[in-house]
Amino acid sequence: MKNIDASLHTRGESLYVDDVSQPEGLLHAAIFPSPVAHGKIKSLHKDNAEKLDGVIAVITAENIPGENQIGPIIQDEDLLAGKEVHFIGQPVAIVVASTAEIARKAVHQIRLEVEELPIITDPVDAFRQGEIIGTPRTFQLGDVESAWSNCDIVLEDVCEIGGQEHVYLETQRARAIPGEGSIMQIYASTQSPYAVQRHAAKILGIPNHLIEVDVLRLGGGFGGKEDQATPWACMVALASHHTKKPVELVLSRAEDIRMTGKRHPYKSFFKIGVTKEGKVLAYSAEHYQNAGASADLSPAVLERTMFHSTNSYFIPNVKIFGASCRTNLPPFTAFRGFGGPQAMFVMEAALTKVAEALNMPREQIQAKNLLQENNLFPYGQKATRCQAQPTWDEAVNAYQIEKIQSRVTAFNEKHFERKKGFAVMPICFGISFTSTFMNQAGALVHIYTDGSVSVSTGGVEMGQGLRTNIARIAADALGIDSERIKLETTNTIRIANMSPSAASATTVLNGNATLLAIEQIMKRLKTLACEELKVADPDKVSIQDEKILYDGSEIGWDWERLIQTAYLRRIGLSAHGFYATPDIYFDKSREKGRPFAYHVYGTAIIEVTLDCLRGVYDIDSAKIVHDLGRPLNELVDRGQVEGGLAQGLGWMTVEDLQFNEKGEILSGALATYKVPDVYFMPDNLQVAFLEDADEPISPFGNKAVGEPPLMYGIGVFYALRKAMQAFRYRDDYKFTSPLTPERVMLELHREEAEQLVKTEPVLTATPSAERS
Ligand code: MTE
Ligand code: HPA
Ligand code: MOS
């Protein structure tokens, strides 16, 4: 089944927030952001902006009728800066004008006087100064302290892991339309309609039921709209409340990059102890998360880091420490993998360090320590239906790792300035929101008298194919053609209190809720069929290809006739289904439990060729064996694997998020922040799905697929490192990501580079006219 949005997308006909026809009198908003990273607000001069022709209002924190608070976990985040500013780009005022151009022009007329305060940009500095969000966490298994002495070698190092800009195609935007009384409709590009509803109600000081949030689809979210779509929606609601007019806000790319959070940079210290055969006996890691200026989702992201600290390996003695550290950068937020990738990068760094110290192949160390059935994760959950070994074996055999090894060795012997490297990257990713209560979903199904079907769920389409998946699930459960199914917008009136579409669990949660709604209607329809067709057992009634079957044989009725009869017999043709993931829990006081419904596994092999004189490289191939359960829709699922991989490769290589010491973003445009393009992707990309790996709790046995493939991308870092080692061996190459071509150069030629930096640059070029 092809993606149900494919033809609309390719014709450019799919609608986004600001494509929907403009309501009468629509006003436009623009944001005045803080120009400094930290300080006390002394005064805000907005008169010049207010005087401009076409400006309707300039709204500040003082104009908020409710509570100026949008923190999702910890109440530490103003919608509009009140007394202090905490990062460059923090919204301070909203200008509302008749056009977006006038609103932007007016923003430049605003002046903010700030008494500047010292700033912090580094998470470890923040930790030392006590700028810690929430309580640091410690996960333990076995006893690391006594295990070190049993190890043949113990190694330590540090990882500096870069952040990542989401680069969703559609920047943040929202539109609010005031209704009668204090009713407000909000159209937003959010992964979390309920978060928008809740926070807009809080800002306006009204109950949730007066706010309706509607989401058609997103031009990408990738976690960047899980929490950080909320402020813009609240701002248009606030502006609409004051002006009594519809208001729209669309951030430009530059504004979006400056004002919104990204993937968290981490600084992580590790220590690993092994036998001389390469069996890991003990591992400890300290993760210092750069949370940015407010908590946002950082504590939850840190928790997922903790859970993924040992990736797909079993280590008997583990101690993991994690702290979320407040700095004066934009609040870092959810991004595909949600803290898991950083932890897995550190684990791979530690195993690489071991391989280099023991002079053994990296993949041999990995293989020796792979997670097996019934092994314990440090958080107390047992690995069940563990596919770490099966995906590893399948990848190593199907893609013939010995051939890769010998090809790489032969190439490296023959070439001086170019070197190849490869790395195996196994992944293990826990499926469920780590906050157990969030694992719930609702769906509302209506069947109309002509047999067409309307399905609403709490899930949001962001390009991941949710609408297609749900249509498929509903069509199969009803036994009818998927053309009859319409996926409705995600709306807080039809589905209440929905969790964000995140944690890769959207299809699983909302698909199950849809199934539960359909089950109720089907039960009624089957009873009706028995009465009408004079057959006895409702359990023997089924619908297939729109035909009504009894005990597997056609009995002359079709779907349309059944539905028309049901209507005339006054049988309810609507139902609401509610699903909550069973058997998951977590006890934070002991840091033990069973937080995940199941885990997704997989193994990738990534091969690169590095130009060691220039630092540039090609990713030759990525070969993946992915544990998908049973594909729900192979095209959609494959798209998720390839897209996730691309984002992971970009994060590890070219996407270089940089801030200066003033907290100012240096990579604030797509000219300075590079994302991988189609040419950057491996020429040879192979994806195979592990056979016979159905997941019993998922609709139709498929497993969550949204985030896990991103982490295959981590392999490219270690493949590049292998190539670097082949050119010039050293035991102190840094575990600093991303490994941009520039960084590869500086690392390969570190002493020469240091020499260059120490010497004052001398201007030797002469104007061409003097040269002759
Ligand atoms: N794929 C596309 N095309 N666009 C997106 O925004 N978001 C990713 C992933 N794949 C995303 C995507 C993230 S961060 C998550 S959590 C999941 O999709 C969310 O959708 P799912 O729960 O249906 O997998
Ligand atoms: N994953 C993604 N988003 C989340 C989670 C999670 O585990 N918890 C809260 N928001
Ligand atoms: Mo995805 S980071 O859970 O939105």
Side-chain angles (χ1 to χ4, degrees), residues 98 150 152 293 358 423 534 542:
S98 53
N150 299 331
D152 293 324
L358 293 177
K534 309 278 181 274
S542 63

Side-chain angles (χ1 to χ4, degrees), residues 468-478 507 511 514-515 518 632 699-700:
T468 310
N469 287 345
I470 300 287
R472 179 65 197 273
I473 289 168
D476 285 0
L478 290 166
T507 292
T514 305
L515 285 179
I518 288 173
L632 188 59
F700 303 104

